[in-house]
Amino acid sequence: RTPRMMVRCFRAGVARCLRAPQRRGNWVLVVPPPSLRPVEGYRALVAGLLKEGGLEGHFFLGVLRDVDALCDLCLGIQQSPRLVVDLSEWDPAALFALALGMALGREVLLLRGRDPTPPFTPQGLPIQEYGSGEELVMALAQGLGIRLPEGRESGGGEEESKGQGTDEEPTQASPP
């Protein structure tokens, strides 16, 4: 599948996006579940792993309440060759990112926290489950092809996933 850009802007109804998206080769758009969007530990854990793999994480932290938020998410999807979509909770933003990302030919890694009754299970698409920060790191590394340093494969991320650890601020997807 050849990655594509939007043919028409759904917001303005014009031939091209008014925000002039540019593909960024090392960007990964991450759509966390709504309850984890304000959790610094989740973002820091994911951003740190992406950085180790030479990738730059951009996080959609909004709520799809209006066309501006939808436009921000669409822009992030167009600019990122890879998406990480966490389907742990019912979330219109995650479903929009999944659908548009697949339609535009992006590499999409689907994640879901372990839950006996998941809110959404995409049929026919691989999905990685995780139950801890360590398992999240392993799922991301495997799904994105990031080689972990010796010793990191078997631990080290649990504390960060609970909101402890790094003070580094990950980049947010935002208008240019």
Side-chain angles (χ1 to χ4, degrees), residues 127-146:
I127 188 163
Q128 301 283 328
E129 289 191 344
Y130 66 93
S132 66
E134 182 178 322
E135 290 177 1
L136 175 60
V137 165
M138 296 304 292
L140 286 166
Q142 179 183 4
L144 296 172
I146 297 172

Side-chain angles (χ1 to χ4, degrees), residues 53-104:
L55 301 170
E56 187 176 335
H58 292 267
F59 293 77
F60 179 76
L61 303 176
V63 177
L64 287 187
R65 289 192 180 141
D66 56 32
V67 72
D68 292 329
L70 194 61
C71 188
D72 289 344
L73 183 53
C74 181
L75 179 65
I77 293 166
Q78 289 188 80
Q79 294 189 142
S80 303
R82 293 169 217 83
L83 310 178
V84 173
V85 180
D86 195 321
L87 298 172
S88 296
E89 300 170 15
W90 181 254
D91 178 22
L95 298 179
F96 180 80
L98 170 60
L100 186 58
M102 297 290 284
L104 294 178

Side-chain angles (χ1 to χ4, degrees), residues 134 138 148-157:
E134 182 178 322
M138 296 304 292
L148 296 174
E150 287 290 321
R152 177 86 188 258
E153 292 95 358
S154 60

